[in-house]
Every structure is written in structure tokens, then in C-alpha cells.
């Protein structure tokens, strides 16, 4: 699994510097060593490493909801909301919940948000909120929290202080002043866990503080800990106590063996787990079709990245030719066996971002393979087919490699299909399959010809386009870039991104994305392929109301805002 190659900026992220949902998934992937937990579905190794599986049945009582946590024993009971273990998301409220599908906000500690202008953002706080020790939650707690993140940058997972200049309170309104126009920063601000000033002001080092006696406002608080099981119980003083039905939520340690883990999941050890199972109908649903359900919605876009600093990829016509030469459905089938949809060449995820689509782009940006059209664009770029080979003006065949980590079976399959498709139009395309560590280093340094990767998925258009297209991220080759690994540069696009950042209303934001969508469609700086999945697996034996295609209220993740949203929807079966 590769979080590094996913270039979107998540609204906010725990674990300090990680800074993205996929980065957090990377953390989980490292824990498992078996299942890839991100858009790159998995390395299909059958690890024989020691299992730490628990055998506790799912929901031994209907008052408890059981979730698969890590696949290794948890040696430290770390309940720090910024870098803690599974479950901390249920204890610490943020200002508002961010819908990862469409970027909308719903109330938490704040009941409303307003962009006064492009550099002044305001959240209005809920009244009457209590901390779990019975003291009152106040605006000062919010100001203290953000000041603490400024003092300890390791806690600032979303890098909000890169754009903030001040945080103040006026009555129940929290006022964020920004150093540059950046209205989309509201999603990051909304997602920061808020802590008690009375408690945390006495902590010597908030970065290493494990908060084992947490004082919280969320619907759950700490109950018990063991290396293989952590339990959280309902917080009766929470304003959300009546919104959550499970009295307790348990996180059980799973298995580091894929085969053992599949058995645990299939035998309902957990009510909810996050796993990618190939042929999920056979390996999971068929084992208990009455109860076993799954939902693998789009969580981002898997794409072909090309090094735009070198020929032929520095030519937009050539890139567009590649876009038309690839059979996206065949690529998706080879990668994830038809469980995801192909992606439009606009950077958007549909249908969640349907309202943002540029009506001037045909067919919502979906491109059907057409070799004749591909060859037309290749010819515009100066490349023609001769003797079954696509050659340049000097008669040299187009040859390049696609890089992907050698243990990401889905990306390997996708790259194989792309090589096949491009071979049909005369290219010689090979696969370069280093370790994931080398892959990450080389993509960040721009030392690749083409590479599999992913982006998007936060529900925010700005967080989709800015990391992949902003020139400021395009570091020189051999220098590590935090994003924009393909090294796209355009002063016009930078200006368009700035306009999007400064837009203060949804209609203005939507309109500001139109030139960016058209750029993606007509210049293909990245070739969108198919949606990367979020791998939610549920049993309805004890609890129902899980997110689904028919009720997509959030993404099926066992962490972050998504988990809290899920806990507020499930109910006894």
C-alpha cells in the first residue's frame, strides 16, 4: 500500500506529519504487513508470520460493537488524539465532521461555518457542551488547542499553521485569520481534535503524552486496555450520547497472516473490519450470505503518472494519445476484478462530486479506448506508426517503463494491462517493480518514466487539484517533492488554483474548478484510470445501518471522522 503517492491533502490527519487519510492507511499497512489498506488494494502475499489473532466473537452482546484494529499487539495504551491508537477518534470531538465523499460539513463542537472572506474563517460553537469530568467546554479550549498545535508542530498533522496567522474567540465564535487566501483550509480546521485547556496546559510534552485518563467531549471515553483488545464506553455527558447506540466499542487485534485474517473476518469475529479480499463474494459474502456485507466505494483515483520533464511525456498531445490508447475497464478488471468503476479524465470522483462536473466536457470526462484517436494525437505530437511500431521523427520506437511496488498486486496487474494496451499502438512498455521503499524514494525524486499512483478522495476539489498541479510542489529532479511528482508547471494553472482557494461560496468554487477539469481532460498531466477502493466489510448479525451504496453517508473506514459518523448511524439489528 502506498500512501505517499496519493497526493491529496486530507482535511486533517492524526499521527503528526502524516497529513493524509492515505498516509494514515500507510500506518495501518505497515502494521499489517499483509493486506494493503488503501487505493492500492494489496500485495497478495500469504505471510506466515506469527498470528496475534483474537478469537473473540463479534458482538458477544448487542450492546458492544467490535471492530478489527491492528494486526499486532498494541504495546502502549496511547490515547493521545493526535497520534494515538484506534478508538481515539470516538473520544475527541472536532469542530465539524467532514464528509469525505462531497466535502460537506456537519455539526460537532461547532454548529456552523462561515467564510467571511478569503482570509477570515469563522466557526460558531455549540452551547452547553460538557467535558467528561463535568466541567464546561469553552471557546478558550479551542483557542488553546490551536495555539498548542502552533507551539508543537509535530501535532499539526494538517499543517494548518502554514496558512494561519491567528486564532481568537469572540463570544461563541472562533475566528481564524489566514496569511493567504485559502478557504478550503476550513476542512482541515474543522477536523482538528479539540482538547481541554485545563488538562493539556499541565502536560509537559503533548507530543509524547499518552492521555491514559482522557477528559473528552466525544460520545465515548476510555474503558479498558490490553495488548490485544481496547474497549471504549459511552460517555454519558456527551452531547452525542443519545446519537450512538453501542454501549461499548471494542477494537480487537487481528492477524498478521492473510489466511488467518480472512477466517477471522469471514467467521464474524468483528462486526466491522477494513480489508481487501480478492473475489469478495466467494471469500466473504458466500460464507454467510445472510449477514456478511461489504462496500468498496471510491476513495480516490488510481492513475498513471508520467515524468513531464522528459520526452515524450512533456508533450500534451502525446499524453492525450496515451489516455485514448488505454482500455480503462480492462485495467480495472485486471487490478481489482470489477469491484470499482473506471475514472473520468477530470480528476473528480463520481457520483459524489457529480455537482462539480464541467458541463462543457463530454460524457462527464469518461474516455473510451480508441486507438485511431490515440494515433491521431500521437501524430500531432510527432510520433507515427511504422511497421507496427510507434516511432519518433528519427525512427526510434517509443519505449519506457512503468514503475509500481513489486508487492502491490493490483497495481502490477494494472500496469501489465496498460503495457498490453500501449503495445497495440506500437510502444515498447516494460514494468519496473522495485520495493515500496525504492518506489517512494524514486517517485518523490522524479526519477521515473511512468509510475502507478493515486490522488484525490477527500471530497474537496482543492485538495484534489492543488497537490498534483501546483507548480510550487514541482521540485527539481533528484530533489524530494512532497507532491506533484510528475512535475507539472503552469503559471496559468497556479493562478486558477489561487482563484479556487479564494472562492468563498460553493457555486464559485465549482466554477473555479472548470478550467482545472478541462486541463485534466485536454492535456492529461495524469492519466486517470479507475477508482481506488475503501474496503469496508460488515456483518449485520448484531448491527445494521452500515454505510452502503444506497446509503453513502460516509466512507467505510475504521478510523477518523468516518468511524464516528458510522457509530452515529448503526443500530441493533
Amino acid at each position: 500500500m502506498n500512501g505517499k503517492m496519493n497526493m491529496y491533502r486530507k482535511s486533517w490527519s492524526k499521527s503528526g506529519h502524516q497529513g493524509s487519510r492515505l498516509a494514515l492507511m500507510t500506518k495501518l499497512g505497515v502494521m499489517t504487513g499483509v493486506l494493503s489498506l488503501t487505493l492500492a488494494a494489496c500485495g497478495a502475499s500469504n505471510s506466515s508470520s506469527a498470528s496475534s489473532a483474537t478469537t473473540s466473537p463479534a458482538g458477544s452482546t448487542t450492546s458492544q460493537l467490535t471492530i478489527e484494529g491492528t494486526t499486532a499487539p498494541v504495546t502502549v495504551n496511547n490515547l493521545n488524539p493526535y497520534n494515538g491508537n484506534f478508538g481515539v477518534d470516538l473520544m475527541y470531538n472536532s469542530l465539524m465532521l467532514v464528509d469525505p465523499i462531497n466535502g460537506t460539513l456537519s455539526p460537532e463542537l461547532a454548529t456552523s461555518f462561515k467564510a467571511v472572506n478569503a482570509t477570515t474563517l469563522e466557526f460558531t460553537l455549540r452551547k452547553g457542551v460538557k467535558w467528561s469530568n463535568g466541567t464546561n467546554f469553552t471557546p478558550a479550549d479551542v483557542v488553546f488547542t490551536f495555539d498548542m498545535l502552533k507551539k508543537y508542530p509535530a501535532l499539526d498533522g494538517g499543517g494548518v499553521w502554514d496558512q494561519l496567522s491567528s486564532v481568537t474567540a469572540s463570544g461563541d465564535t472562533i475566528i481564524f485569520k489566514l496569511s493567504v487566501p485559502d478557504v478550503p483550509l476550513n476542512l482541515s480546521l474543522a477536523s482538528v481534535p479539540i482538547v481541554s485547556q485545563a488538562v493539556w496546559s499541565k502536560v509537559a510534552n503533548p507530543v509524547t503524552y499518552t492521555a491514559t485518563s482522557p477528559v473528552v467531549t466525544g460520545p465515548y471515553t476510555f474503558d479498558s486496555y490490553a495488548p490485544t483488545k481496547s474497549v471504549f464506553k459511552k460517555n454519558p455527558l456527551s452531547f452525542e450520547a443519545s446519537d450512538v447506540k453501542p454501549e461499548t466499542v471494542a477494537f480487537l487485534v487481528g492477524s498478521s497472516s492473510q489466511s488467518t485474517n480472512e477466517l477471522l473476518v469471514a467467521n464474524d469475529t468483528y462486526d466491522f473490519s477494513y480489508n481487501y479480499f480478492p473475489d469478495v463474494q466467494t471469500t466473504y459474502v458466500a460464507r454467510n450470505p445472510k449477514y456478511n456485507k461489504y462496500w468498496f466505494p471510491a476513495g480516490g483515483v488510481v492513475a498513471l503518472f508520467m515524468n513531464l520533464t522528459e520526452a515524450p511525456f512533456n508533450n500534451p498531445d502525446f499524453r492525450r494519445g496515451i489516455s485514448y490508447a488505454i482500455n480503462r475497464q480492462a485495467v480495472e478488471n485486471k487490478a481489482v476484478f470489477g469491484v470499482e468503476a473506471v475514472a473520468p479524465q477530470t480528476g473528480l470522483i463520481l457520483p459524489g462530486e457529480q455537482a462539480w462536473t464541467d458541463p462543457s466536457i463530454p460524457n462527464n470526462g469518461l474516455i473510451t479506448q480508441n486507438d485511431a484517436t490515440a494515433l491521431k494525437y500521437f501524430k500531432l505530437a510527432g510520433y507515427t506508426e511504422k511497421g507496427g511500431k510507434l516511432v519518433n521523427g528519427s525512427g526510434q520506437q517509443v519505449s519506457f517503463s512503468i514503475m509500481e511496488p513489486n508487492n502491490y498486486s493490483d497495481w502490477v496487474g494494472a500496469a501489465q494491462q496498460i503495457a498490453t494496451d500501449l503495445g497495440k499502438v506500437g510502444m515498447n512498455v516494460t514494468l519496473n517493480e522495485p520495493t515500496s521503499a525504492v518506489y517512494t524514494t524514486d517517485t518523490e525524486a522524479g526519477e521515473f518514466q511512468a509510475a502507478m499512483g493515486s490522488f484525490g478522495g477527500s471530497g474537496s476539489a482543492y485538495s484534489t487539484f492543488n497537490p498534483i498541479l501546483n507548480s510550487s510542489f514541482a521540485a527539481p529532479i533528484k530533489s524530494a517533492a512532497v507532491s506533484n511528482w510528475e512535475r507539472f508547471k503552469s503559471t496559468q494553472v497556479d493562478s486558477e488554483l489561487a482563484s479556487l482557494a479564494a472562492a468563498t461560496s460553493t457555486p464559485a468554487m465549482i466554477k473555479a474548478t472548470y478550467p482545472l477539469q478541462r486541463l485534466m481532460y485536454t492535456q492529461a498531466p495524469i492519466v486517470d484510470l479507475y477508482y481506488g477502493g475503501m474496503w469496508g466489510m460488515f456483518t449485520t448479525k448484531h448491527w445494521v445501518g452500515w454505510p452502503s451504496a444506497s446509503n453513502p453517508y460516509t466512507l467505510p473506514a475504521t478510523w477518523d471522522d468516518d468511524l464516528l459518523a458510522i457509530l452515529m448511524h448503526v443500530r441493533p439489528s
Side-chain angles (χ1 to χ4, degrees), residues 491-513:
T491 54
Q492 178 180 342
V493 171
D494 291 342
S495 176
E496 292 164 350
L497 288 167
S499 296
L500 175 57
T504 58
S505 69
T506 298
M509 291 179 186
I510 291 174
K511 189 174 181 179
T513 68

Side-chain angles (χ1 to χ4, degrees), residues 284 340 396 412 441:
Y284 180 62
E340 297 295 337
Q396 294 177 316
V412 171
T441 300

Side-chain angles (χ1 to χ4, degrees), residues 130-132 218-221 233-242:
K130 295 281 189 182
W131 292 102
S132 54
Y220 290 93
T221 189
K233 60 184 177 183
K234 189 179 287 191
N235 171 14
L237 294 183
S238 170
F239 62 93
E240 295 174 319
S242 62

Side-chain angles (χ1 to χ4, degrees), residues 53-55 253-255 259-270:
T54 176
T55 56
V253 171
S255 173
S259 58
T260 303
N261 193 61
E262 286 188 5
L263 286 174
L264 290 170
V265 174
N267 291 331
D268 299 338
T269 302
Y270 322 103

Side-chain angles (χ1 to χ4, degrees), residues 67 301 313:
I67 301 173
V301 177
F313 306 118

Side-chain angles (χ1 to χ4, degrees), residues 342-370:
V342 298
Q345 187 56 44
T346 57
L348 300 181
I349 295 177
L350 305 178
E353 296 174 318
Q354 183 68 50
W356 293 68
T357 56
D358 182 346
S360 72
I361 298 175
N363 197 26
N364 287 328
L366 290 166
I367 290 180
T368 301
Q369 182 192 32
N370 188 317

Side-chain angles (χ1 to χ4, degrees), residues 28-29 31-37 41-56 66-73 86 228 251-278 280 283-285 287 292 296 535-538 558:
L28 299 175
M31 289 175 178
T32 67
V34 178
L35 291 179
S36 177
L37 300 178
C42 67
S45 65
N46 287 301
S47 171
S48 59
S49 57
S51 169
S52 55
T54 176
T55 56
S56 300
T66 305
I67 301 173
E68 182 184 17
T70 69
T71 56
F86 276 101
T228 58
F251 291 85
L252 305 182
V253 171
S255 173
S256 56
S257 162
Q258 182 169 345
S259 58
T260 303
N261 193 61
E262 286 188 5
L263 286 174
L264 290 170
V265 174
N267 291 331
D268 299 338
T269 302
Y270 322 103
D271 295 300
F272 176 23
S273 70
Y274 187 90
N275 283 284
Y276 172 74
F277 279 18
V280 65
T283 56
Y284 180 62
V285 176
R287 292 186 177 185
N292 289 358
F296 292 168
W535 316 112
M537 307 180 75
F538 323 96
T558 57

